[in-house]
Amino acid sequence: MKTKKSILLLAVMSFFGLANLNAQNQKIAYVDSDYILENIPEYGDAQEEINQLSKKWEKEITALFQEAQELDREYQAESVLLSEDQKRKKKEAITAKRQEAENLRMQYYGPEGELFTKRTELIQPIQEKVYNAINQVALTKNYAFVFDKAAGTSMLYCNEKNDISDEILDEIGNVMQTVRREDRKKN
């Protein structure tokens, strides 16, 4: 009976010893996705296109709300002279204009809106390239884990030698216009 317990204890200790040894041999790295995206020209172009569309759409929506405000001001100024039927029609026109503006806002900015669609169309291919590059570098360099420092992952300590962001940019092939962190530090 004692030998079975001894063998079982030895097996458990061996298992935890090997698991601990394996954990010590795992390589961990991190990337800064904000840094990576800032150094991909296509991403900047996509962001600029989205910003321009958003400004255009915001002007359209603001114009509709201003029309509703103007109708409301006119109503307030004329209300004492209007019949109940005319008041009701003016209020309905104001409400319809506000609703038109809200509908347009939802069309552009809603969960299934044009902004969401445009972001998906322009940004998703870039994100896929970054993801594929991270996977390729991680496989090539035999990293067990790669964390994203910019995505809200808390890190109490990170040694900059584990930052593989420049390698990701190299893998993507968009580093012609970038300055690597090492070069920035030298200057």
Side-chain angles (χ1 to χ4, degrees):
M1 192 67 154
K2 273 189 169 184
T3 55
K4 281 187 179 180
K5 285 185 181 179
S6 297
I7 292 174
L8 183 59
L9 181 62
L10 183 61
V12 169
M13 288 174 42
S14 297
F15 173 75
F16 284 116
L18 288 175
N20 187 30
L21 182 63
N22 190 30
Q24 289 175 351
N25 291 331
Q26 291 184 351
K27 291 170 61 176
I28 299 173
Y30 75 93
V31 297
D32 183 345
S33 62
D34 288 342
Y35 167 76
I36 291 170
L37 293 173
E38 288 170 7
N39 287 288
I40 297 175
E42 291 90 351
Y43 182 78
D45 295 344
Q47 283 297 108
E48 184 59 32
E49 185 175 336
I50 290 168
N51 290 342
Q52 292 302 320
L53 277 174
S54 186
K55 286 177 186 176
K56 176 186 165 211
W57 294 337
E58 198 56 44
K59 283 181 184 177
E60 290 177 37
I61 293 166
T62 300
L64 286 175
F65 275 117
Q66 287 174 344
E67 287 178 36
Q69 281 182 320
E70 184 59 36
L71 289 173
D72 192 36
R73 275 193 289 275
E74 289 173 10
Y75 169 76
Q76 297 300 327
E78 301 171 349
S79 67
V80 292
L81 303 173
L82 299 174
S83 69
E84 289 303 313
D85 188 46
Q86 289 173 321
K87 286 181 181 179
R88 182 184 52 75
K89 286 180 181 177
K90 292 265 186 189
K91 285 181 180 179
E92 286 174 359
I94 295 166
T95 302
K97 189 58 75 174
R98 286 184 180 142
Q99 188 60 49
E100 182 183 353
E102 280 300 322
N103 290 344
L104 192 59
R105 182 186 313 229
M106 286 303 291
Q107 176 186 334
Y108 290 146
Y109 298 110
E112 301 291 323
E114 291 181 36
L115 182 66
F116 175 80
T117 304
K118 197 63 166 174
R119 274 198 177 129
T120 301
E121 173 190 321
L122 296 175
I123 303 293
Q124 189 171 3
I126 297 167
Q127 289 173 329
E128 287 175 5
K129 285 181 187 177
V130 171
Y131 176 77
N132 291 338
I134 290 170
N135 284 342
Q136 186 61 41
V137 169
L139 287 171
T140 303
K141 300 272 185 163
N142 200 25
Y143 290 114
F145 301 99
V146 177
F147 294 99
D148 184 0
K149 161 175 144 171
T153 303
S154 298
M155 279 197 260
L156 299 175
Y157 172 80
C158 62
N159 186 333
E160 288 192 17
K161 74 175 185 169
N162 294 322
D163 183 353
I164 61 169
S165 301
D166 284 321
E167 293 175 49
I168 302 306
L169 287 169
D170 288 341
E171 183 68 30
I172 293 171
N174 292 314
V175 293
M176 294 179 291
Q177 301 172 1
T178 64
V179 177
R180 297 173 66 96
R181 285 195 173 128
E182 301 129 22
D183 296 336
R184 279 190 217 158
K185 290 177 184 176
K186 291 176 187 174
N187 293 333

